[in-house]
Amino acid sequence: MASIRHQSMVFTPKEIDFFAKDELVTIVPNFSLPTEDSNCSCMMGDFGPFQPNRECLVPLWLALALWKRRKCTIKAPEWMSANYLQSVLELERQDPSSFQPLPFHYQEVAHSLFTAGTQESLPREVFGDEQARVRDLVNLVQKTRYNKILQGLGMMSEAAAVKLNNLSAMELNAVRAFFTGALDQFHRYSKMGDVDAGIAPATVAAGGEQQAQQPVRQLRRGG
């Protein structure tokens, strides 16, 4: 199982969600940090300054931890406004051959903001009266993009050009196993073709140039 996991490099949803917790979000602290510059030093950098009613960028994990302790409010990311998501959805539906640029962890960030609080208190604070509409639009964007991914993979059997640009972490993870498996099969069949043709693997000469070995000559059997 470990070897298969290593070859395909497919992550679990929990692992991807863990990576997404490093995404930066804007908070408004209601406290001051008792340091010289009111900053907080973490492994991934310095964040702050933490001063009342002053916006600052922090990792999502820190924002959620402070919010649960009632030490800050979390502001909705700009891309999570209802108007922006509506425009993204319309563009996704209009162009079936490409994907609109969204944050790499947009699904995980949205999921955290909608589920981290108890009794929907966090999404109500972050999105206000738009929370239901924003939630629906995120789900529609996600479903539309996944349908386009499936259509794109289906076109590969017809040797058509497929653009899978601007995919998110979760979307890439969904297709990674397919592509790595397909490339493994291609490599395996190409090696089989070389063997059938009597072509030995290439060798590197003393001068550093790659030279192909000559087909192995079969010896005649005496009789």
Side-chain angles (χ1 to χ4, degrees):
M1 179 67 69
S3 60
I4 297 176
R5 169 72 183 280
H6 177 72
Q7 292 174 3
S8 61
M9 290 299 292
V10 175
F11 299 99
T12 66
K14 288 185 178 181
E15 289 172 326
I16 298 178
D17 183 70
F18 176 80
F19 300 145
K21 290 297 192 294
D22 285 338
E23 290 289 303
L24 299 180
V25 295
T26 300
I27 67 169
V28 181
N30 57 17
F31 68 98
S32 296
L33 201 62
T35 60
E36 182 177 355
D37 52 7
S38 298
N39 285 344
C40 175
S41 296
C42 302
M43 292 183 62
M44 59 183 297
D46 294 339
F47 301 100
F50 291 90
Q51 298 176 352
N53 301 320
R54 180 173 179 178
E55 295 183 0
C56 62
L57 287 173
V58 298
L60 179 59
W61 62 265
L62 181 55
L64 294 175
L66 291 174
W67 179 85
K68 289 178 180 179
R69 290 167 176 79
R70 298 302 178 187
K71 295 296 184 180
C72 75
T73 57
I74 301 177
K75 299 197 66 175
E78 293 184 1
W79 62 269
M80 288 194 74
S81 70
N83 291 337
Y84 184 84
L85 288 171
Q86 183 65 49
S87 63
V88 169
L89 178 61
E90 292 174 359
L91 291 173
E92 292 285 1
R93 289 173 170 173
Q94 291 173 7
D95 187 0
S97 63
S98 63
F99 297 82
Q100 298 303 309
L102 284 170
F104 190 55
H105 290 287
Y106 83 92
Q107 293 171 268
E108 303 91 284
V109 171
H111 182 266
S112 293
L113 293 179
F114 276 114
T115 61
T118 57
Q119 299 179 352
E120 295 190 351
S121 57
L122 178 59
R124 184 166 55 250
E125 289 183 15
V126 175
F127 304 105
D129 296 336
E130 294 287 329
Q131 62 171 315
R133 185 181 176 205
V134 170
R135 188 196 301 266
D136 291 341
L137 286 171
V138 170
N139 289 333
L140 288 172
V141 168
Q142 176 181 326
K143 291 178 181 179
T144 302
R145 289 167 67 95
Y146 269 106
N147 287 335
K148 291 167 66 172
I149 291 173
L150 293 177
Q151 293 174 2
L153 295 179
M155 292 172 59
M156 294 186 67
S157 60
E158 304 173 3
V162 180
K163 293 182 180 180
L164 296 178
N165 56 327
N166 295 326
L167 294 187
S168 69
M170 200 72 75
E171 293 162 351
L172 280 174
N173 198 59
V175 300
R176 182 177 285 114
F178 173 84
F179 279 112
T180 54
L183 290 174
D184 286 344
Q185 287 291 98
F186 177 81
H187 182 64
R188 187 178 298 111
Y189 288 139
S190 64
K191 290 175 64 176
M192 291 174 58
D194 291 343
V195 172
D196 292 340
I199 301 176
T203 59
V204 179
E209 297 181 356
Q210 202 174 42
Q211 297 179 345
Q213 295 181 356
Q214 298 296 325
V216 179
R217 184 175 181 179
Q218 300 293 330
L219 299 178
R220 297 180 58 186
R221 299 177 59 184

